[in-house]
Amino acid sequence: MLLGLSDGSLYSISWKGEFYGAFGLDSSQHNDSEVTSLSHSLANSIASGEAERAFASNYRVSKKSAIAQLEFCVSMRLLLVLCSDGQLVSCSVSKKGLKPVESIKAEKSLGNGDAVCTSIAGDQLILAVGTRRGVVELFDLADSGSLIRTVSLYDWGYTMEDTGSVSCISWTPDNSAFAVGWKLRGLTVWSVSGCRLMSTIRQIGLSSASSPVVKPNQDCKYEPLMGGTSLMQWDDYGYRLYAIEEGSLERILAFSFGKCCLSRGVSGMTYVRQVIYGEDRLLVVQSEDTDELKMLHLNLPVSYISQNWPVQHVAASKDGMYLAVAGLHGLILYDIRQKKWRVFGDISQEQKIQCKGLLWLGKIVVVCNYIDSSNMYELLFYPRYHLDQSSLLCRKPLLAKPMVMDVYEDYILVTYRPFDVHIFHVKLFGELSPTSTPDLQLSTVRELSIMTAKSHPAAMRFIPDQIPRDSALDNHISSSSDLLAREPARCLILRANGELSLLDLDDGRERELTNSVELFWVTCGQSEEKTNLIEDVSWLDYGYRGMQVTYC
């Protein structure tokens, strides 16, 4: 255990009660005059001209300022030391961890010297730094600590005078979003790509003429955390955020959140339903012909959710008429037309499934299952008409824990760390019905190992190759079904830092397309003229800049 002392030194203690004493960080091997400008810095939610540049410099730790916070990233063997004067220093640590204190060396400082708190997203290797200016800077630890973006409430009409400095930062368990609390007023939840997801600070107007600042004599409704936020913490599953107001320690505020179940794969049709899920229920949002939204509130069967709380994965079928829902164990299916749930009849079979991912393959639900006893992963294929071991169509062992998965027609994409891509082709023999005994077989059609990848993907989507590659020779298309059956040769990759790129599955080349992307959708179409076929593939992406449409 390391303790930060008021004189800027560190104190090392073992769990056996061995006291190694105080020591200072060794920065003698570094040249203090060297300053390197960071690349890829993106200002976000900052008024024009106010975006700050960040610098990485070799830093000699001052003995005068107290150490305010320590944070250790185990996977990168990186120690972050935050001093009371606002300096944030990254230190290298040996493979043996923190015990050999002589190996802990100061490498460089991050930010602008006004840091007040930090928080690391361990899975995504992103560092969030709160500043006295009331803004949060995100740094990519996998890319030498380069500045990804800066988020603040400036574009919503609030400045540091309104909110004060950042007081605390808390990441969701899946590292997809983080909450920011301010010293003087409120908290806000942001996505990694810089989109504001939730805020307790009420919004009046966006222009400077209609300032949203609350005047003392105004008759306004109560605003949560009006006196500032002192502490925050997410629950284990990211459904609730707990916060304590500054100067009001006798109560805890709880904010409930829902998660969006996006339609996976290629959007070749108009989806009329979207699903938002909470810890024990679903909310189906459906657009009507009258352009009004219809909300369908689905409570999960008590017999299932009481034993397998909370909901962890939800997937909608291609036509949107069936939902697959998985909690801690097993899974259940819902038929929107019939308004009926389908569950495992055998509880012992349900308890053997720990779902880590869900996909729909036509009328088949694909479960990524974690086997606790052997620490292995596998794909399970169940027909939607029967959840039982006797109806299991196929069991496919996986090499390791999959990062992301996608499905298009008869092809399944599975990606492992650091960046290995496997594509399977699915063949179904026999009729898929309760009266027959269908057989499903998987064959590996493509394996890629991307050695030059900067970081692993957060999401991947197939882009189907709708033009036969020999069509230029014979200018003939047999049928639309032949087109859809072709193996996709490209896919889109979204990384945690918001970079969107195009991967060629034939040669493994990757081309960067844009950045600061939160979500993306793929659409495919083709010209009706058979003599002059033109491929028209586009994708839409959403980020803090709004919606963008791109054609290739």
Side-chain angles (χ1 to χ4, degrees):
M1 179 171 64
L2 284 182
L3 301 177
L5 304 184
S6 59
D7 62 355
S9 60
L10 297 171
Y11 198 95
S12 178
I13 307 173
S14 77
W15 292 112
K16 296 180 180 179
E18 300 168 329
F19 296 85
Y20 298 103
F23 66 96
L25 293 175
D26 180 14
S27 59
S28 59
Q29 299 179 359
H30 306 286
N31 181 7
D32 293 342
S33 62
E34 181 182 350
V35 178
T36 307
S37 176
L38 291 179
S39 59
H40 309 299
S41 61
L42 295 171
N44 179 37
S45 301
I46 294 287
S48 178
E50 295 190 43
E52 297 285 345
R53 300 273 318 198
F55 296 93
S57 62
N58 294 322
Y59 174 70
R60 188 178 298 278
V61 179
S62 171
K63 295 286 186 180
K64 297 180 181 180
S65 59
I67 293 179
Q69 184 179 345
L70 294 173
E71 195 150 4
F72 183 49
C73 181
V74 179
S75 60
M76 296 194 66
R77 300 194 300 273
L78 181 70
L79 176 67
L80 293 173
V81 180
L82 175 61
C83 300
S84 58
D85 62 357
Q87 295 292 336
L88 178 61
V89 185
S90 65
C91 306
S92 59
V93 177
S94 73
K95 295 181 179 179
K96 296 181 180 180
L98 297 173
K99 185 175 181 179
V101 294
E102 66 277 0
S103 67
I104 301 178
K105 300 184 185 299
E107 295 289 342
K108 58 187 176 183
S109 76
L110 298 170
N112 297 286
D114 63 346
V116 291
C117 62
T118 65
S119 183
I120 293 179
D123 293 340
Q124 312 290 8
L125 298 180
I126 295 176
L127 169 66
V129 179
T131 68
R132 294 192 184 99
R133 292 169 285 128
V135 304
V136 176
E137 298 169 334
L138 298 182
F139 296 93
D140 189 351
L141 296 179
D143 189 19
S144 303
S146 61
L147 179 65
I148 301 175
R149 65 180 46 84
T150 306
V151 297
S152 79
L153 289 176
Y154 285 11
D155 281 350
W156 282 267
Y158 292 95
T159 62
M160 186 191 69
E161 287 73 21
D162 305 314
T163 62
S165 63
V166 176
S167 61
C168 48
I169 301 173
S170 181
W171 286 91
T172 57
D174 62 359
N175 295 166
S176 62
F178 58 96
V180 178
W182 283 277
K183 191 73 175 176
L184 300 182
R185 182 182 179 186
L187 69 81
T188 297
V189 179
W190 306 85
S191 67
V192 177
S193 63
C195 294
R196 192 181 72 165
L197 306 178
M198 168 266 187
S199 181
T200 64
I201 302 176
R202 66 196 194 101
Q203 193 68 53
I204 296 179
L206 297 179
S207 64
S208 58
S210 55
S211 174
V213 179
V214 177
K215 302 299 188 296
N217 57 353
Q218 281 183 324
D219 182 17
C220 62
K221 295 182 180 179
Y222 172 74
E223 179 181 295
L225 302 166
M226 191 66 188
T229 307
S230 60
L231 289 171
M232 294 184 306
Q233 179 65 48
W234 291 92
D235 69 355
D236 290 341
Y237 302 99
Y239 286 112
R240 290 180 184 269
L241 175 65
Y242 299 96
I244 297 178
E245 188 169 4
E246 190 75 33
S248 178
L249 303 181
E250 69 276 3
R251 65 172 184 163
I252 299 175
L253 297 178
F255 301 91
S256 297
F257 288 82
K259 302 180 182 181
C260 186
C261 169
L262 296 171
S263 301
R264 301 298 186 184
V266 177
S267 301
M269 63 197 68
T270 302
Y271 288 92
V272 294
R273 293 179 182 86
Q274 294 295 340
V275 180
I276 300 172
Y277 60 97
E279 54 191 348
D280 61 354
R281 65 199 62 203
L282 305 179
L283 185 66
V284 182
V285 184
Q286 179 175 335
S287 59
E288 298 288 341
D289 295 336
T290 58
D291 292 334
E292 293 183 358
L293 292 179
K294 179 181 178 182
M295 304 287 187
L296 176 61
H297 194 102
L298 290 179
N299 287 309
L300 272 63
V302 176
S303 59
Y304 176 79
I305 197 61
S306 62
Q307 302 296 320
N308 300 292
W309 178 94
V311 175
Q312 295 194 344
H313 299 279
V314 178
S317 62
K318 190 175 182 179
D319 59 3
M321 290 299 174
Y322 292 87
L323 301 175
V325 183
L328 283 181
H329 294 93
L331 73 148
I332 54 178
L333 304 179
Y334 185 72
D335 186 336
I336 292 182
R337 288 193 187 95
Q338 301 294 327
K339 299 181 180 180
K340 291 183 179 180
W341 291 97
R342 186 176 302 279
V343 300
F344 271 91
D346 190 334
I347 302 267
S348 62
Q349 294 183 17
E350 179 181 87
Q351 293 301 306
K352 291 180 181 179
I353 297 177
Q354 293 188 51
C355 179
K356 302 300 179 182
L358 283 174
L359 293 171
W360 280 94
L361 186 71
K363 299 178 181 179
I364 301 170
V365 60
V366 185
V367 182
C368 176
N369 181 39
Y370 172 65
I371 309 172
D372 205 355
S373 59
S374 60
N375 192 27
M376 298 290 289
Y377 293 83
E378 63 181 356
L379 295 181
L380 304 178
F381 295 78
Y382 289 98
R384 72 185 184 195
Y385 56 77
H386 195 206
L387 291 178
D388 191 83
Q389 187 68 26
S390 62
S391 299
L392 184 64
L393 299 173
C394 181
R395 184 190 298 268
K396 174 67 176 178
L398 298 177
L399 299 179
K401 179 181 180 179
M403 288 188 298
V404 294
M405 299 189 303
D406 188 33
V407 61
Y408 178 73
E409 296 297 331
D410 299 332
Y411 293 93
I412 297 178
L413 179 145
V414 179
T415 307
Y416 309 103
R417 289 179 184 267
F419 198 178
D420 295 330
V421 180
H422 287 203
I423 298 177
F424 304 105
H425 183 240
V426 180
K427 286 187 178 180
L428 182 65
F429 299 92
E431 184 184 358
L432 193 65
S433 68
T435 58
S436 61
T437 56
D439 179 36
L440 188 143
Q441 296 181 4
L442 260 71
S443 59
T444 303
V445 295
R446 198 183 295 263
E447 293 183 3
L448 276 139
S449 183
I450 313 297
M451 305 300 294
T452 58
K454 293 183 297 182
S455 60
H456 61 268
M460 295 177 67
R461 302 287 181 271
F462 276 129
I463 298 180
D465 189 359
Q466 291 202 335
I467 301 178
R469 293 164 195 173
D470 55 355
S471 62
L473 299 177
D474 57 14
N475 197 23
H476 172 71
I477 299 176
S478 57
S479 67
S480 59
S481 61
D482 292 340
L483 293 178
L484 295 176
R486 295 198 62 87
E487 177 188 342
R490 296 176 297 170
C491 65
L492 284 174
I493 301 174
L494 178 64
R495 287 185 165 81
N497 61 5
E499 290 183 1
L500 186 66
S501 59
L502 181 66
L503 175 65
D504 191 314
L505 295 172
D506 287 332
D507 54 21
R509 287 187 302 175
E510 187 178 344
R511 179 163 59 96
E512 187 175 333
L513 301 174
T514 184
N515 51 42
S516 301
V517 173
E518 167 111 358
L519 303 168
F520 70 93
W521 301 264
V522 184
T523 61
C524 293
Q526 64 184 43
S527 172
E528 296 180 355
E529 297 183 17
K530 302 295 184 181
T531 57
N532 186 20
L533 185 66
I534 299 176
E535 184 180 27
D536 181 16
V537 177
S538 66
W539 56 86
L540 298 87
D541 63 74
Y542 174 79
Y544 76 89
R545 293 179 296 236
M547 188 76 74
Q548 297 184 118
V549 182
T550 309
Y551 296 92
C552 73

